């Protein structure tokens, strides 16, 4: 019997495009729609996992560093994990729960993606890109990279077509479902709810059987982050130097910070 983790963000769920400049701020009607869509997707995924013989299904509700879903509407067999909200400890709870893989629901494409609905990497205001060993990455890549050091692979991703393609670039073995076709930052062609939910059920059932090891990552790793404001880059550089010393410095210009990291703690310090 296996355990699984469902990791939930909100921007990638079906039926939702957010609003220009506001994204999915919690006072928006689009946010409320996203909560309903995410609830349906999580329940479809959870049912598929339990129908596949899962012993424990854990839920990590991580959009905006807060609780978004009403647990009373989520399959009662699902157990919520409640890690500290700080980025630095993201996914540390994997050491306490022995999971076979991660099911990503509602994640989105990386900052700068053309036609990626609500594309961003942590902050569309502050961060213009994150690169690992020269390759641009998004939040699925980062969370999957961290999880790989706990021996946990990414098994499934449901999101818009742009994010699904990026997930497959990260690991071609991941099972995917397209929730909507992105036609702009805040526009998409929606696929019908019942089609999306039944495809998620079928896709997660298939993914639950996968038995592969995570993508292998090795230290040292080169991380590059382009900050929108030079003020932030300068301040962050001074802060991170306290731990990384000369292994963090400006890149080609004063927006860009480049670091060589030697372990997971340092990785999370700069990503
Ligand atoms: Zn989010």
């Amino acid at each position: 019997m296996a355990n699984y983790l469902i990791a939930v963000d909100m921007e990638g769920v079906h039926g939702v495009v957010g609003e220009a400049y506001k994204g999915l701020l919690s006072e928006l009607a689009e946010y409320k729609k996203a909560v309903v869509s995410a609830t349906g997707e999580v329940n479809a995924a959870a049912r598929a996992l339990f129908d596949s013989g899962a012993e424990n299904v854990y839920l990590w509700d991580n959009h905006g560093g807060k609780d978004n879903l009403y647990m009373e509407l989520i399959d009662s067999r699902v157990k919520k994990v409640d890690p500290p909200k700080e980025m630095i400890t993201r996914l540390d709870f994997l050491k306490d729960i022995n999971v076979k893989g991660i099911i990503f629901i509602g994640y989105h494409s990386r900052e700068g993606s053309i036609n990626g609905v609500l594309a961003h990497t942590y902050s569309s205001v502050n961060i213009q890109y994150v690169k690992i060993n020269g390759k641009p990455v998004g939040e699925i890549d980062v969370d999957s990279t961290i999880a790989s050091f706990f021996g946990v692979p990414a098994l499934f991703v449901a999101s818009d077509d742009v994010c699904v393609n990026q997930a497959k670039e990260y690991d071609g073995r991941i099972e995917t479902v397209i929730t909507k076709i992105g036609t702009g930052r805040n526009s998409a062609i929606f696929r019908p709810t019942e089609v999306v939910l039944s495809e998620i059920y079928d896709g997660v059932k298939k993914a639950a059987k996968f038995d592969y090891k995570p993508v292998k990552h090795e230290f040292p790793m080169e991380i590059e982050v382009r900050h929108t404001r030079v003020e932030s880059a300068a301040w962050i550089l001074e802060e991170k130097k306290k731990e990384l010393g000369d292994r963090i410095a400006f890149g080609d210009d004063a927006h860009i910070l480049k670091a060589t990291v030697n372990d997971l703690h340092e990785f999370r310090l700069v990503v």
Side-chain angles (χ1 to χ4, degrees), residues 135 191 207:
K135 195 183 156 294
R191 302 188 67 228

Side-chain angles (χ1 to χ4, degrees), residues 9-11 62-64 108 120 139:
D9 199 352
M10 306 279 281
E11 290 87 347
N62 65 45
H63 170 80
H108 46 81
H120 65 280
E139 295 177 23

